[in-house]
Amino acid sequence: MKIKDDIAECRHKVEWSGIRIIFELTNQYQDIVNLGMGEPDFDTPQFFIDAAKTALDEGCTRYALIRGDKELRAAIALC
């Protein structure tokens, strides 16, 4: 048996992490966009790109608070 075969056999013994379980659960639905890896399966809409450029020009260059931006949370809550 080759090392590659040993590794392939061992992978079945490793328990999935919580996030891996969540990713697998979300694969059961068509209307969920997984942004966990930062790589959606569609191009970034131009208005997002333009808004990001504007935000950078206005000095928004730091991480947001852990709870997120208050205005953004309010806008999302309306959706």
Side-chain angles (χ1 to χ4, degrees), residues 16-52:
W16 281 8
S17 66
I19 193 68
R20 173 57 44 211
I21 292 169
I22 296 297
F23 286 163
E24 288 302 316
L25 288 172
T26 60
N27 286 337
Q28 297 176 21
Y29 302 92
Q30 292 181 345
D31 59 346
I32 292 179
V33 177
N34 177 0
L35 299 176
M37 299 298 180
E39 302 219 17
D41 60 356
F42 53 86
D43 291 337
T44 303
Q46 188 61 45
F47 73 94
F48 277 22
I49 295 169
D50 296 340

Side-chain angles (χ1 to χ4, degrees), residues 35-73:
L35 299 176
M37 299 298 180
E39 302 219 17
D41 60 356
F42 53 86
D43 291 337
T44 303
Q46 188 61 45
F47 73 94
F48 277 22
I49 295 169
D50 296 340
K53 288 177 182 177
T54 299
L56 290 169
D57 289 341
E58 292 175 355
C60 298
T61 58
R62 300 189 183 264
Y63 285 109
L65 298 173
I66 291 178
R67 291 189 61 189
D69 180 79
K70 185 176 182 178
E71 290 180 32
L72 178 59
R73 289 192 340 256

